[in-house]
Amino acid sequence: GKFAGIAFWLLLMARAIFPALLAPNGQDKNLLALLTSSVVCIGLFYGTGLFYGERTHISVMEYWRWWVVHLWVEGFFEVFATTALAFIFSTLGLVSYRMATAASLASASLFMLGGVPGTFHHLYFAGTTTPVMAVGASFSALEVVPLVVLGHEAWEHWRLQHKTPWMANLRWPLMCFVAVAFWNMLGAGVFGF
């Protein structure tokens, strides 16, 4: 019942990703492994939101809703977005594979280090002190840095290589990906901080 959608999501992603992970092409698969783990974590993460039902007390339901919404915003989205865009940018040759892997590892490390403290800036309603909220705001603002660095690197390569025909054909999708990094930096990094 409840978990069928999550199982379907994981099987769909596994069908697309596992052949690439198992291919013996001798390439470094760190970035693909990070992408795979972030996709699996999204499915498992949303599974926690299914621990309540129609007869669950509102305080329990709100607890799970709060964790799903805020940990998604404070961590999982940043790791997934950075890793997915790093994979796309490195496949298109806009950033080096090494830079893409480094940005993805930095994003995952920031989430592991600051994912929960990054939610502290939401605790104003519980009477949390200003220094604790400041720590939360700092961690929350730092989580966008890897994606911004990756977007900047892709933008620089775009400027250098924009004369090639294949770049002209992919202009709007690539501009959309660079815009994701910019608006993430402006919204979550600047205005969020």
Side-chain angles (χ1 to χ4, degrees):
K2 283 185 175 182
F3 295 97
I6 293 171
F8 178 72
W9 162 260
L10 292 174
L11 287 174
L12 189 64
M13 292 294 107
R15 182 176 176 246
I17 293 174
F18 283 137
L21 276 173
L22 299 175
N25 58 2
Q27 247 187 347
D28 182 19
K29 295 189 171 124
N30 290 330
L31 185 60
L32 188 56
L34 282 167
L35 179 63
T36 304
S37 63
S38 69
V39 166
V40 168
C41 285
I42 287 172
L44 295 175
F45 177 67
Y46 274 116
T48 63
L50 300 174
F51 284 133
Y52 59 87
E54 62 187 42
R55 300 201 189 284
T56 305
H57 192 271
I58 187 123
S59 62
V60 174
M61 192 253 336
E62 281 296 308
Y63 173 80
W64 286 111
R65 184 201 60 82
W66 192 87
W67 276 106
V68 168
V69 169
H70 289 91
L71 283 182
W72 168 257
V73 170
E74 302 300 333
F76 280 103
F77 173 74
E78 297 300 332
V79 175
F80 176 73
T82 302
T83 307
L85 287 178
F87 188 77
I88 291 169
F89 286 162
S90 67
T91 302
L92 293 175
L94 290 174
V95 297
S96 69
Y97 206 77
R98 185 180 201 97
M99 171 66 179
T101 303
S104 298
L105 284 172
S107 180
S109 298
L110 277 172
F111 171 65
M112 294 296 178
L113 176 71
V116 173
T119 63
F120 289 171
H121 68 278
H122 293 285
L123 300 180
Y124 59 88
F125 59 86
T128 304
T129 61
T130 303
V132 172
M133 288 193 306
V135 166
S138 299
F139 275 107
S140 184
L142 282 176
E143 289 167 359
V144 302
V145 171
L147 184 59
V148 170
V149 169
L150 190 66
H152 177 43
E153 182 82 11
W155 175 253
E156 289 299 316
H157 279 80
W158 168 265
R159 286 187 34 218
L160 295 174
Q161 299 177 3
H162 75 282
K163 299 291 183 191
T164 61
W166 70 269
M167 290 288 249
N169 293 337
L170 295 175
R171 179 174 194 260
W172 290 111
L174 291 174
M175 292 301 286
C176 176
F177 293 143
V178 171
V180 165
F182 171 77
W183 288 111
N184 191 14
M185 179 269 306
L186 185 67
V190 175
F191 294 140
F193 186 72

